[in-house]
Structures are given as structure tokens and as C-alpha cells.
């Protein structure tokens, strides 16, 4: 349930970076959850908006269909209709929130609409994020029949005390059941999201979760350090912001939790996981992501490779090669624009956009490319105004290494560089 918004070929050069292109991927954000986790900054709503007589789910789905139509019309006007002259989507990603709360028939209906309006390539990757709890994981057989090829479970931990601390509804046994059911249903790829640097989490606690997760034989692991941001303070929660305001209880939880995190411990936990996974043949293809060979997420790779993607739903981010655009997070504004009272014409939801200039595009391409194990072309880094001094500094500090991949001399992060990547990235912008 992440967005950097999104998932260009690392270092494929920047010539394509500033030309608008039709999307190769589509993200759909489903903002409903059974309950809210106090650390969560994703666009999620719970309580009466997500269940019972006041549920907004039906209205949201109507609005989502309208937005898909409006976005498809706009793409057709810019690039022509999907067909021989325009590439079909290579991936679709249902993120949230908890998209597994939607019935499989609803997912099937949305995928049929996506195919009709955007074109969906044969063999496209279709990911659905799911929570492992019995009443929120969905039916993997029905989801597979609907067209889902990849399930991504928000496990976060496999230790009961940590799941309680995080306010999660599921138990560790639910994670095992959910993965087993997905595998039995023939879902092609199963991912587990896990969190480290939890408040008070010892090194041994992390090893316990990691080993329990590996015993379930997932195909993909996303390992994230728990980040406790303050989107209100960052100015991201206004009417056009892509985040929702933080509730007072969640704010108090984060204030209690922050002192119990530890950067050095987090670095050790990351390094341990990376070593174990490399030893066992996993492909660490991005700073936070490991796959069994062949199970890399094509959708996420599109984000890191700066390929264009479309996005719908509250808080969703899109990129067309030149402009980064987002929908505002607030559900009320989303519904009001797309389902206007009194039967007026629907309009695209509120939000914002940022036009990238060549310098921003070049920096972004380097940062995203360096996140991946392919790194970036050395010439692309040296082309920055301060490129050679940054390269020299990073090389001397053992943050990057020079490797030859095919005909390319490429720069990529070392394992120390992965841990200190933000320090390097801040010098590139
Ligand atoms: S279930 Fe996931 S999206 Fe929903 S509140 Fe918890 S962390 Fe956020």
C-alpha cells in the first residue's frame, strides 16, 4: 500500500523523459479499511464510511467508473484509442486501503472496463493488495478467476505482540492461512509486506518474523522500515493534498512510538535481511524489494523505470513522462466532482500537478534508477552539474560501486549505500 507514486528504464537515458507518452500501467486506489492502523499514512477511511447503512463503498465504485471513463477519454484524445498505434497496459494494481474488501465480481467488472477503455495486454500483471484477516482477505480462487495474478498481503509482522502494537486486526496464523490459500488457488505470485524498526523491536524479534515469513514460501518480499511522518506538518493534507489529516489518537501513538525506534538497529535489521535473502537466491531488485527470480513486480518496476502510468481513486498519483499529477485524498471532494448532485456533468476530481523541467527529470531518473539493482549509467550521473564531485564523494564513501552491465558502465548502490541512500539522493536534487 505504497506510492512513490508508482512503480523509465533505470538509466535508459533521458531523451524520452520529457515526452508525454500513454500509460503502460494503471493504479486504482480503493480507500476503505475495516479499521485504521495508527502508523498509516495511506489514504484510508474506516468506520461507518466502510460498512453498514452509511457505507460510501457503492458511491465510490460509481465514482471510480466515471473517473476511469474520463481519464480514458482524455488519453484517447491525446494519444488515439488503444489499438495497434497505442500500447496496451502491462499491469494493473489495486492498492489501498484494503481492495480485498471488494467482491471478486467487482474486481472482474473493473478489469473488463479497464480492458475495454485502456487495453490490457495478454499476460498483464494484475496485483491486488489484501489484508490477511479472514474477513478481509477475499476469496483467492474467485480473485484468480476475476483476473488477479498477484496478491500482496499486508502482513507487517508475524509476532502477535507486534501485530497488536501496530493495531492490526489479523493474527500471525491468518498470514499463514492467507498465503496457503492463495498458493492453493494458483495465484501466480504472492508478496508479503513486512515492517522493521518497529517500536522496541529487538534484532531477535525481526529474525523471528523474517524466518516465519520465509517458511511460508512467498514469491516476493517488500521490507520497509516503519516511517512515522507528519503529513499535516508537511502541508500535504489540505483540500488538494494527497494525504488525509492525522487523527489525534494516531498522532499520540506516533509520538510514543518514535523514541522507541533506532536508526542503528534498523540498519542492522535491513543488513541482516539483505544478507539472508541474497544467500538464499532472492533477487534484491530494489532497495526495499526482493523476488524469487521471475517474480519481480512489473508494476513497481514501471514506477522506478519512470515509465508512464495512469491512476484513479482518491490520493492516486499518475505520470505521463512530463507531468506528475495527483488526485486529492478527500473522499467527499472525490465523490462530489464525479457524482455531482442534481445530475450535472461529472468533472475530474480535485488534485494537483507538477510539470517536470529537464533538471528535475534528470535528478528523478537518477534517484529512481539508483534504487534498483541495475543502477544508472555513469554518464547520466556525470552529466549533472555537480555530477563528478557527487560521484567521487559517493565512491570514496563506499556508497556506490562501478559495474559493467553489457556495454554500459553503471553506478549502483553498495549495501552501505542502500542504507544511506537518502544522504546521496539529497545531493542529486
Ligand atoms: S490496513 Fe493498511 S491501508 Fe488500512 S489503515 Fe492499516 S496500514 Fe493503512
Amino acid at each position: 500500500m505504497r506510492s512513490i507514486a508508482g512503480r523509465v528504464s533505470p538509466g535508459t537515458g533521458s531523451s524520452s523523459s520529457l515526452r508525454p507518452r500513454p500509460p503502460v500501467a494503471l493504479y486504482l486506489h480503493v480507500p476503505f479499511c475495516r479499521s485504521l492502523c495508527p502508523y498509516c499514512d495511506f489514504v484510508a477511511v474506516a468506520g461507518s464510511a466502510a460498512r453498514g447503512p452509511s457505507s460510501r463503498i457503492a458511491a465510490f465504485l460509481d465514482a471510480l467508473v466515471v473517473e476511469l471513463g474520463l481519464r480514458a477519454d482524455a488519453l484517447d484524445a491525446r494519444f488515439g484509442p488503444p489499438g495497434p498505434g497505442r500500447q496496451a497496459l502491462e499491469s494493473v494494481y489495486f492498492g489501498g486501503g484494503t481492495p480485498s474488501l471488494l467482491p471478486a465480481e467487482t474486481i472482474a467488472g473493473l478489469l473488463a472496463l479497464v480492458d475495454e477503455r485502456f487495453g490490457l495486454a495478454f499476460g498483464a500483471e494484475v496485483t491486488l493488495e489484501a489484508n490477511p484477516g479472514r474477513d478481509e482477505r477475499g476469496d483467492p480462487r474467485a480473485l484468480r478467476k476475476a483476473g488477479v495474478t498477484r496478491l500482496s498481503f499486508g502482513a507487517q509482522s508475524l509476532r502477535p505482540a507486534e501485530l497488536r502494537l501496530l493495531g492490526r486486526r489479523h493474527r500471525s496464523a491468518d498470514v499463514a492461512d492467507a498465503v496457503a490459500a492463495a498458493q492453493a488457488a494458483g495465484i501466480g505470485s504472492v508478496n508479503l509486506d513486512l515492517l522493521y524498526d518497529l517500536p522496541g523491536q529487538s534484532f531477535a524479534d525481526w529474525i523471528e518474523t523474517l524466518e516465519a515469513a520465509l517458511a511460508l514460501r512467498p514469491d516476493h518480499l517488500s521490507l520497509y522500515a516503519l516511517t512515522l511522518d507528519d503529513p499535516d506538518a508537511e502541508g500535504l493534507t489540505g483540500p488538494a493534498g494527497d494525504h488525509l489529516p492525522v487523527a489525534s489518537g494516531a498522532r499520540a501513538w506516533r509520538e510514543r512510538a518514535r523514541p522507541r525506534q533506532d536508526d542503528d538497529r534498523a540498519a542492522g535489521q535491513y543488513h541482516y535481511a539483505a544478507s539472508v535473502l541474497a544467500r538464499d537466491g532472492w533477487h534484491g531488485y530494489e532497495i526495499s524489494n526482493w523476488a524469487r527470480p521471475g517474480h519481480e513486480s512489473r508494476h513497481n518496476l514501471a514506477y522506478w523505470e519512470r515509465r508512464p502510468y495512469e491512476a484513479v481513486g482518491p490520493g492516486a498519483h499518475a505520470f505521463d513522462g512530463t507531468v506528475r499529477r495527483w488526485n486529492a485524498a478527500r473522499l467527499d471532494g472525490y465523490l462530489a466532482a464525479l457524482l455531482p448532485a442534481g445530475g450535472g456533468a461529472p468533472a475530474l476530481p480535485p488534485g494537483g500537478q507538477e510539470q517536470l523541467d529537464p533538471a528535475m527529470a534528470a535528478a528523478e531518473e537518477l534517484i529512481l534508477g539508483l534504487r534498483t539493482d541495475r543502477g544508472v549509467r555513469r554518464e547520466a550521473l556525470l552529466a549533472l552539474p555537480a555530477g563528478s564531485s557527487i560521484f567521487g564523494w559517493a565512491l570514496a564513501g563506499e556508497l556506490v560501486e562501478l559495474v559493467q552491465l553489457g556495454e554500459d558502465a553503471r553506478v549502483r548502490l553498495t549495501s552501505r549505500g542502500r542504507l544511506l541512500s537518502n544522504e546521496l539522493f539529497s545531493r542529486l536534487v
Side-chain angles (χ1 to χ4, degrees):
M1 307 186 185
R2 310 248 144 201
S3 80
I4 136 180
R7 295 166 192 226
V8 204
S9 283
T12 49
S14 55
S15 57
S16 63
S17 302
L18 291 175
R19 188 166 47 84
R21 289 163 287 153
V24 300
L26 172 69
Y27 176 83
L28 299 99
H29 190 81
V30 180
F32 302 99
C33 290
R34 289 269 193 242
S35 60
L36 295 184
C37 310
Y39 61 89
C40 174
D41 279 339
F42 301 124
V43 175
V45 295
S48 61
R51 64 165 89 197
S54 306
S55 164
R56 317 290 296 277
I57 295 179
F60 162 76
L61 289 169
D62 289 345
L64 190 70
V65 165
V66 175
E67 189 188 4
L68 281 166
L70 293 175
R71 299 282 180 207
D73 290 345
L75 290 170
D76 291 356
R78 289 178 85 190
F79 303 111
R86 182 174 135 197
Q87 183 182 343
L89 299 175
E90 295 171 15
S91 72
V92 176
Y93 194 104
F94 292 90
T98 311
S100 56
L101 292 176
L102 300 181
E105 312 85 70
T106 301
I107 300 295
L110 288 168
L111 285 171
L113 177 60
V114 166
D115 188 24
E116 180 192 330
R117 293 306 319 270
F118 297 83
L120 196 50
F122 180 76
E125 177 185 276
V126 179
T127 302
L128 183 111
E129 290 181 345
N131 273 337
R134 280 176 192 285
D135 61 344
E136 50 185 343
R137 72 170 77 125
D139 173 354
R141 286 189 193 282
L143 288 169
R144 182 180 171 217
K145 211 167 145 211
V148 172
T149 65
R150 186 171 181 271
L151 278 172
S152 177
F153 289 109
Q156 316 312 353
S157 169
L158 286 157
R159 299 186 67 248
E162 289 174 359
L163 290 170
R164 281 196 299 276
L165 172 73
L166 292 170
R168 303 295 305 205
R169 300 178 72 250
H170 63 270
R171 300 166 304 130
S172 43
D174 292 329
V175 180
D177 290 347
V179 171
Q183 290 165 335
I187 295 287
S189 268
V190 176
N191 171 59
L192 292 178
D193 280 353
L194 299 176
L195 290 171
Y196 61 96
D197 198 21
L198 300 182
Q201 182 187 44
S202 70
F203 198 73
D205 295 340
W206 171 237
I207 294 176
E208 190 181 320
T209 279
L210 188 64
E211 287 183 351
L214 288 171
L216 302 178
R217 301 200 55 74
D219 306 293
H220 191 283
L221 286 172
S222 296
L223 310 181
Y224 300 107
L226 178 68
T227 47
L228 299 172
D229 295 330
D230 187 345
D232 294 310
E234 293 173 56
L236 304 174
T237 59
D242 62 349
H243 283 64
L244 293 171
V246 180
S248 58
R251 181 173 299 284
W253 188 95
R254 296 176 198 196
E255 279 162 14
R256 288 194 303 275
R258 275 190 202 100
R260 302 181 63 218
Q261 293 187 288
D262 183 310
D263 286 349
D264 291 338
R265 185 185 63 202
Q269 291 173 330
Y270 178 89
H271 187 67
Y272 176 82
S275 309
V276 165
L277 294 172
R279 183 198 66 199
D280 291 353
W282 287 72
H283 180 198
Y285 68 108
E286 194 268 346
I287 288 180
S288 304
N289 287 278
W290 287 261
R292 296 192 190 279
H295 289 274
E296 295 81 0
S297 163
R298 281 184 265 156
H299 190 87
N300 286 359
L301 277 168
Y303 291 160
W304 299 317
E305 294 175 355
R306 289 187 79 249
R307 300 177 76 200
Y309 50 90
E310 186 55 279
V312 292
H317 283 240
F319 176 58
D320 70 357
T322 63
V323 172
R324 293 203 175 275
R325 166 191 76 67
W326 62 90
N327 284 346
R330 298 183 186 196
L331 185 56
D332 285 345
Y334 184 81
L335 297 179
L338 290 158
L339 305 174
L348 288 169
Q353 65 175 49
E354 182 181 30
Q355 172 86 44
L356 300 185
D357 62 30
M360 289 161 78
E364 194 181 83
E365 183 161 338
L366 289 169
I367 290 171
L368 291 171
L370 282 167
R371 292 188 66 94
T372 71
D373 69 330
R374 282 180 52 79
V376 296
R377 284 184 309 113
R378 182 180 56 179
E379 287 71 23
L381 178 54
L382 296 180
L384 281 188
S388 57
S389 73
I390 294 171
F391 178 51
W393 166 82
L395 205 56
E398 298 179 354
L399 301 182
V400 297
E401 60 188 355
L402 201 52
V403 290
Q404 192 71 28
L405 293 182
E407 300 198 339
D408 275 352
R410 302 186 74 88
V411 179
R412 71 179 179 197
L413 295 178
T414 59
S415 54
R416 176 176 152 77
R418 286 184 165 213
L419 287 168
L420 299 171
S421 56
N422 285 339
E423 206 165 319
L424 172 59
F425 296 163
S426 66
R427 296 181 183 227
L428 296 173
V429 288

